[in-house]
Amino acid sequence: MPLLQETTVDKLHVKLAQNRQELGQYAAEMAATKIKSLLQSQETVNIIFAAAPSQNEFLDALAVQPGVEWQRVNAFHMDEYIGLSDEAPQRFGNFLKDRFFAKVPLKEVFYINGNVAEAEAECQRYSALLTQYPTDIVCMGIGENCHIAFNDPHIAFFNDPVLVKKVDLDLTSRQQQVHDGCFASLELVPEYALTLTIPALVKAPTVFCMVPAAHKAEAIYHTLLDDISEVYPSTILRTHPNATLFIDPNSAQQWLEATETK
């Protein structure tokens, strides 16, 4: 499948697909190849997934990749709202179950519970699972404010001492959920969530990051061109030894314009 452009920014591999659909297909093929390769030398593979409309094409394509022994794959997700009903379709666990987890015969799916009485106890429970099942692959996106998972700039720490924590969501993150069509209005978007921290994500040996669409163009610009700092949390990907960023012409537009004028 031809790409429009391939390059490396610091250590981050950047692949510009011809459109959003091909982005998802290309990323899914690479992820499936990695899973199959790992299963040749280990019994199971542990994967963390992001839940967002930006991941739809990738998840749809990954679910139909041939030859993947999903019964040897354990799945995690990277964040969950606090306070939504268990049945709410906006819950990230429910989103991923409908979009992917229920479509393939996974060995285990480990859900974050955002409705427990003690958030700290849930953080510790999920942290223990992440330690018991060390992550092999992270499949993620980037938020409009450059968050990864729900590590918004005001609470993003590259050296966070914990793996999972409770966070308050900044206004940009909450508005993005409305832009994405997940909620009808800002008032309906929860203010708090549980999230895997930045170290929990980037400690994975392999990261695939799928970021299509024009409303992510500013985030891609900052991710690839600004200094690596917690002001733009996604810039940490440029330090990862094996991370790949998949973008389309819409999300790449500001970055391409800036690099063409240099």
Side-chain angles (χ1 to χ4, degrees):
M1 184 178 297
L3 292 167
L4 291 178
Q5 184 175 330
E6 292 184 77
T7 189
T8 302
V9 178
D10 295 318
K11 295 181 179 180
L12 179 61
H13 305 292
V14 181
K15 298 185 183 295
L16 174 59
Q18 299 197 50
N19 54 56
R20 181 171 181 153
Q21 197 69 35
E22 289 195 8
L23 182 159
Q25 182 67 33
Y26 194 93
E29 289 174 2
M30 283 194 63
T33 297
K34 184 62 179 180
I35 295 167
K36 288 186 280 189
S37 174
L38 288 172
L39 287 175
Q40 291 179 0
S41 60
Q42 59 194 66
E43 185 57 34
T44 57
V45 169
N46 304 312
I47 307 177
I48 298 171
F49 290 93
S54 64
Q55 307 300 296
N56 285 350
E57 291 79 9
F58 165 71
L59 293 172
D60 289 348
L62 185 62
V64 296
Q65 289 297 303
V68 179
E69 297 179 78
W70 291 111
Q71 66 275 16
R72 296 170 60 193
V73 174
N74 296 312
F76 295 77
H77 58 117
M78 58 182 60
D79 41 22
E80 186 58 90
Y81 291 116
I82 292 175
L84 288 181
S85 70
D86 289 346
E87 299 77 25
Q90 297 95 336
R91 280 174 65 100
F92 294 136
N94 291 341
F95 175 96
L96 282 167
K97 181 178 180 181
D98 292 341
R99 198 87 206 185
F100 184 74
F101 293 164
K103 294 182 177 181
V104 295
L106 293 159
K107 180 178 176 63
E108 295 278 359
V109 177
F110 298 103
Y111 291 98
I112 303 171
N113 186 349
N115 289 335
V116 295
E118 294 293 335
E120 181 56 35
E122 178 63 5
C123 292
Q124 292 178 9
R125 182 191 73 85
Y126 212 70
S127 296
L129 287 170
L130 292 168
T131 301
Q132 181 180 353
Y133 300 95
T135 308
D136 296 297
I137 301 171
V138 168
C139 300
M140 63 184 296
I142 294 173
E144 292 179 19
N145 63 358
C146 294
H147 73 217
I148 52 177
F150 263 142
N151 295 283
D152 290 331
H154 71 291
I155 45 83
F157 302 106
F158 289 169
N159 296 311
D160 211 310
V162 297
L163 296 178
V164 186
K165 65 182 180 181
K166 178 182 177 181
V167 295
D168 63 295
L169 306 180
D170 75 11
L171 183 60
T172 301
S173 274
R174 296 178 66 230
Q175 287 176 330
Q176 180 183 323
Q177 307 307 314
V178 180
H179 299 163
D180 285 347
C182 300
F183 293 88
S185 66
L186 181 65
E187 294 73 25
L188 298 175
V189 183
E191 297 183 9
Y192 296 92
L194 302 180
T195 186
L196 274 62
T197 60
I198 291 174
L201 300 173
V202 299
K203 71 189 297 185
T206 301
V207 174
F208 297 116
C209 185
M210 288 62 71
V211 190
H215 63 282
K216 298 293 181 70
E218 187 173 348
I220 292 301
Y221 173 93
H222 292 308
T223 299
L224 297 178
L225 294 179
D226 272 283
D227 291 340
I228 297 170
S229 78
E230 292 151 344
V231 174
Y232 302 111
S234 54
T235 56
I236 192 68
L237 295 175
R238 286 163 37 203
T239 71
H240 194 282
N242 189 26
T244 305
L245 173 66
F246 302 88
I247 51 181
D248 69 358
N250 292 320
S251 61
Q253 182 177 357
Q254 292 187 26
W255 168 62
L256 290 174
E257 290 174 351
T259 53
E260 287 171 358
T261 57
K262 286 187 177 180

